[in-house]
Amino acid sequence: MQIDDHLFALLFEDTPVCIMILNVDGEVKFINKFGGYLFSCPKEQLIGKTLESYINSYNFGPSWDDLWQNMVKGRMQEARVEVGRGNNDDVICLVSSFNIENCPDCIALVFRDITQELKASEQIEKKNVEMAKMNTELIRSNAELKKVSELKSNFLSIASHELKTPLTSIKGYSDIIIDNFRDKLDSGIFRMIESINRAADRLHKVVNNILDVTRIEQKRLRLRPETFNLAVMANDCIEELSQFTLKRGITFKCHMESNPPSFYGDKMRMHQVFTNLFSNAIKYSPDGSPIDVYITTESENRFHIVIKDHGIGVDKAEQKNIFDPFYEVGSTNRHSTDYTKFMGGGTGLGLSIVKGIIERHGGRIWVESEGIKENSFPGSEFHVLLPIHSEISWDDDETKSLYFEDPRIIDPSELEEEQELMDEEVSILLIDSDREAVEIARMVLESAFDIHVAESGELGLLYAFEKRPSIILMDSYLPGLDGYRICRILRSQEETRNIPIAFFSAGTQNDEIQKCFASGADDFIVKPFSGRELVDKIWRLLMKKKEEETFK
Ligand code: ADP
């Protein structure tokens, strides 16, 4: 193909921009075909005309006259203008001017229709503004949500803390009555006390569950991993639940490999996972039905655990939600009937804790079920994928040694024997402003130990220096000098440096236990404590001190 003048002329005429040549007086000398279309007027009619009657300024910019004067003086290369088109819609054009070589008396103009481009960019601009608005709104509501969630977590944490203190009294007193007054009380009253004691245990469990949920939500669930056999643990949990399964004729069938690899994770937390999942399977199944538990090594590095029941099933729409805290499916009535009732209604916390623990171990949990069906039991399968060797480490080295010690449960009556081993009278200083906690501790301990009580930090310090007790038990929250400061002072003085110190702690606040250790304490006793636990802790601390003295 030859590119000749004719071809150029065609290109010039048909190109989709308006090209025109004007003389210095602004009269049109030449205009291409597209120019006629753009100005909506036969191009011949434009020849010899000036453009001011066709062109308006754009967006309150300069008039065509001013623009043209600048073009003539060679000062303006490009501007936006509005081209009026009579009966047709006006269009916005980008007009550029340039001089033509060898033609000093003329100026070439090119008009490019940018109406659609502008509309599109205006739309984008509008959308951008809307998005920016939505973004700001989102950031604001996110911040609000975070605040509400923090408030909720703090509220739960404080409420649980406050609940733990009266629980100490309820649990402590009822423990004491059960242990010591069985023969002296009317059997009806004794049963009521036992019922109070069980209710306190249930409430304690709920409070602990709420605390676990807040720990998970605030990403401060601490793990203490060790190596153990998951299948053995599953069997142990099933055994522990046998009082419920036997009563209701429910049977667990375990399908496990003969030699599974050891699991590396938090033993106590995994026990909680199995117990929750197994309890649910029992709770939501009819009497006499089987529950299958499969633990298989899926690949070299993960376990696949399935708990399959033949219970009421989980609606498909609810299968994600049931892992949210406080979420219970609407049909809970169905499992509260006598037919399927296990431990009464739940709190909707179990699965969210299970999910939190599994995810903290790097695993995942989901449920599969055909959904709830009238008058039938489609069942549910809870699936857990768990790395065999979770990439978790000890979060809290200071409590590691304590955690691994087997909690020995000592009957207070054994204390006298133990006392003899100590070769000296053991005296205990209790520093606590919570009278009821002091009273319970006193009732449990006074038969075997010499007890001194101080209700404030200052008095506690005074007694500590004066009496040099064998052990000090104190609360962290005290009027005046708080427990942590007292502990630091005692540790800094020669006379009191080696006295074992344990804190009473509700264990609910951020870093409370760390703060106990950081101030120099040897141990902590979480409220509500049982008499047996208290005695056990005291005994261990005394033995530790004795060992240290022997090896000095
Ligand atoms: P809850 O204390 O109510 O049992 P969970 O968090 O353990 O709380 O469970 C949340 C909800 O999930 C339950 O209320 C129940 O509706 C449903 N769910 C849990 N496990 C099962 C199961 N094995 N079969 C049927 N529904 C279940």
Side-chain angles (χ1 to χ4, degrees):
M1 182 170 64
Q2 236 201 317
I3 302 197
D4 54 17
D5 291 351
H6 177 64
L7 200 61
F8 261 122
L10 281 179
L11 178 71
F12 192 72
E13 281 291 317
D14 291 338
T15 194
V17 290
C18 159
I19 302 171
M20 59 170 80
I21 297 171
L22 280 68
N23 65 16
V24 283
D25 296 326
E27 292 160 356
V28 177
K29 288 289 161 203
F30 174 81
I31 182 164
N32 70 348
K33 202 157 94 194
F34 190 82
Y37 162 76
L38 190 79
F39 278 75
S40 189
C41 153
K43 65 178 206 171
E44 294 75 20
Q45 282 185 23
L46 283 166
I47 303 289
K49 299 254 175 60
T50 53
L51 297 179
E52 65 269 9
S53 58
Y54 294 94
I55 297 181
N56 309 317
S57 61
Y58 174 75
N59 253 359
F60 309 106
S63 66
W64 175 249
D65 247 5
D66 292 341
L67 285 173
W68 174 246
Q69 288 313 319
N70 280 337
M71 289 181 199
V72 173
K73 288 173 192 155
R75 283 199 216 124
M76 194 219 81
Q77 265 93 43
E78 211 167 66
R80 280 183 188 178
V81 292
E82 193 178 85
V83 176
R85 306 173 73 222
N87 292 335
N88 294 322
D89 284 345
D90 295 346
V91 289
I92 314 294
C93 288
L94 192 66
V95 53
S96 349
S97 71
F98 53 92
N99 296 102
I100 306 170
E101 233 183 84
N102 300 332
C103 186
D105 299 336
C106 46
I107 293 167
L109 298 185
V110 175
F111 288 80
R112 190 164 66 80
D113 182 357
I114 57 164
T115 317
Q116 294 310 323
E117 268 170 51
L118 273 182
K119 268 192 188 147
S121 77
E122 267 167 25
Q123 295 275 1
I124 291 172
E125 186 68 14
K126 219 164 122 191
K127 284 265 171 301
N128 275 347
V129 171
E130 274 170 20
M131 272 171 68
K133 251 193 199 156
M134 274 160 63
N135 216 11
T136 322
E137 191 57 28
L138 260 177
I139 291 171
R140 201 177 55 82
S141 41
N142 242 353
E144 261 170 29
L145 269 177
K146 210 169 148 215
K147 215 166 127 194
V148 170
S149 160
E150 269 167 23
L151 274 176
K152 187 199 76 188
S153 289
N154 285 345
F155 165 75
L156 288 176
S157 173
I158 291 165
S160 321
H161 185 269
E162 291 304 315
L163 277 172
K164 279 200 162 196
T165 311
L167 254 179
T168 311
S169 311
I170 301 171
K171 178 76 185 138
Y173 284 130
S174 52
D175 268 352
I176 290 169
I177 296 173
I178 289 169
D179 286 347
N180 302 291
F181 297 95
R182 185 181 288 272
D183 307 332
K184 297 180 191 108
L185 285 177
D186 170 81
S187 65
I189 293 179
F190 194 78
R191 274 204 304 280
M192 284 184 217
I193 304 284
E194 281 184 320
S195 165
I196 291 173
N197 192 275
R198 278 196 302 275
D201 282 340
R202 276 205 302 280
L203 186 55
H204 188 197
K205 221 160 137 191
V206 172
V207 168
N208 279 343
N209 276 345
I210 294 175
L211 286 171
D212 278 345
V213 167
T214 48
R215 280 187 194 113
I216 288 165
E217 282 183 348
Q218 295 172 346
K219 302 210 175 346
R220 51 180 191 90
L221 183 76
R222 296 183 178 280
L223 292 185
R224 285 118 189 193
E226 58 188 298
T227 305
F228 61 95
N229 187 320
L230 217 51
V232 169
M233 169 172 278
N235 274 314
D236 287 349
C237 292
I238 292 170
E239 187 65 37
E240 283 160 27
L241 291 166
S242 60
Q243 50 167 321
F244 304 108
T245 46
L246 288 175
K247 218 161 48 189
R248 299 194 36 224
I250 287 176
T251 43
F252 270 91
K253 277 191 215 143
C254 295
H255 312 263
M256 297 169 188
E257 292 161 15
S258 50
N259 243 337
S262 292
F263 173 68
Y264 180 73
D266 189 310
K267 206 168 174 181
M268 186 191 88
R269 292 296 181 188
M270 283 313 295
H271 187 278
Q272 204 176 350
V273 165
F274 280 128
T275 306
N276 272 333
L277 292 175
F278 294 165
S279 303
N280 277 349
I282 301 168
K283 186 157 61 166
Y284 301 110
S285 291
D287 292 355
S289 63
I291 296 167
D292 294 283
V293 180
Y294 302 83
I295 302 183
T296 46
T297 323
E298 203 183 48
S299 60
E300 293 238 313
N301 51 15
R302 71 179 183 193
F303 285 116
H304 186 178
I305 305 167
V306 183
I307 294 123
K308 181 178 160 71
D309 63 46
H310 295 82
I312 59 172
V314 183
D315 220 34
K316 287 218 185 295
E318 306 282 9
Q319 289 179 6
K320 273 217 163 79
N321 305 335
I322 58 169
F323 296 98
D324 292 343
F326 300 104
Y327 198 91
E328 291 189 282
V329 180
S331 67
T332 41
N333 279 343
R334 291 196 63 188
H335 64 76
S336 295
T337 60
D338 281 345
Y339 189 39
T340 55
K341 190 169 171 184
F342 169 46
M343 290 191 292
T347 50
L349 292 176
L351 284 181
S352 70
I353 295 171
V354 165
K355 183 170 181 260
I357 295 173
I358 303 249
E359 288 181 350
R360 186 74 175 70
H361 279 87
R364 163 167 107 72
I365 180 166
W366 71 97
V367 62
E368 289 175 10
S369 170
E370 282 174 26
I372 291 181
K373 289 183 180 155
E374 260 328 297
N375 304 322
S376 76
F377 292 101
S380 321
E381 284 182 18
F382 281 81
H383 291 254
V384 175
L385 287 178
L386 206 54
I388 289 176
H389 197 283
S390 309
E391 303 220 335
I392 45 176
S393 56
W394 270 85
D395 289 315
D396 180 5
D397 272 343
E398 275 170 309
T399 51
K400 189 170 180 173
S401 59
L402 285 162
Y403 190 79
F404 278 119
E405 281 174 43
D406 266 343
R408 296 189 313 143
I409 294 179
I410 298 176
D411 187 317
S413 65
E414 290 172 31
L415 272 177
E416 282 161 31
E417 262 171 59
E418 316 271 19
Q419 273 269 14
E420 282 168 24
L421 287 174
M422 296 301 298
D423 311 325
E424 60 183 74
E425 187 157 339
V426 175
S427 61
I428 297 176
L429 172 59
L430 294 172
I431 314 177
D432 197 337
S433 57
D434 175 356
R435 288 218 180 123
E436 282 173 343
V438 167
E439 213 38 52
I440 289 165
R442 195 206 283 275
M443 283 170 90
V444 173
L445 303 172
E446 72 186 351
S447 65
F449 301 111
D450 186 16
I451 307 289
H452 305 278
V453 177
E455 288 188 359
S456 72
E458 289 79 356
L459 269 180
L461 265 183
L462 215 69
Y463 282 179
F465 284 106
E466 205 179 294
K467 314 256 186 227
R468 308 274 179 83
S470 325
I471 186 166
I472 298 174
L473 307 176
M474 68 175 151
D475 198 16
S476 44
Y477 299 97
L478 289 168
L481 274 179
D482 70 22
Y484 307 121
R485 282 168 68 195
I486 294 174
C487 194
R488 267 187 228 107
I489 297 171
L490 291 172
R491 286 289 176 252
S492 68
Q493 301 301 311
E494 190 57 42
E495 310 93 292
T496 50
R497 179 166 297 153
N498 297 320
I499 301 177
I501 300 174
F503 273 97
F504 290 127
S505 153
T508 53
Q509 301 293 305
N510 276 348
D511 303 333
E512 197 173 316
I513 287 161
Q514 274 74 11
K515 269 159 83 184
C516 296
F517 285 114
S519 64
D522 299 284
D523 206 347
F524 59 91
I525 299 159
V526 179
K527 282 181 178 173
F529 52 81
S530 71
R532 298 170 198 92
E533 248 179 284
L534 185 62
V535 168
D536 178 45
K537 287 265 176 179
I538 292 171
W539 183 244
R540 271 200 278 166
L541 285 172
L542 291 173
M543 289 308 281
K544 201 170 143 216
K545 187 184 167 208
K546 200 169 159 62
E547 262 171 43
E548 280 166 8
E549 279 169 359
T550 314
F551 291 113
K552 242 184 211 168

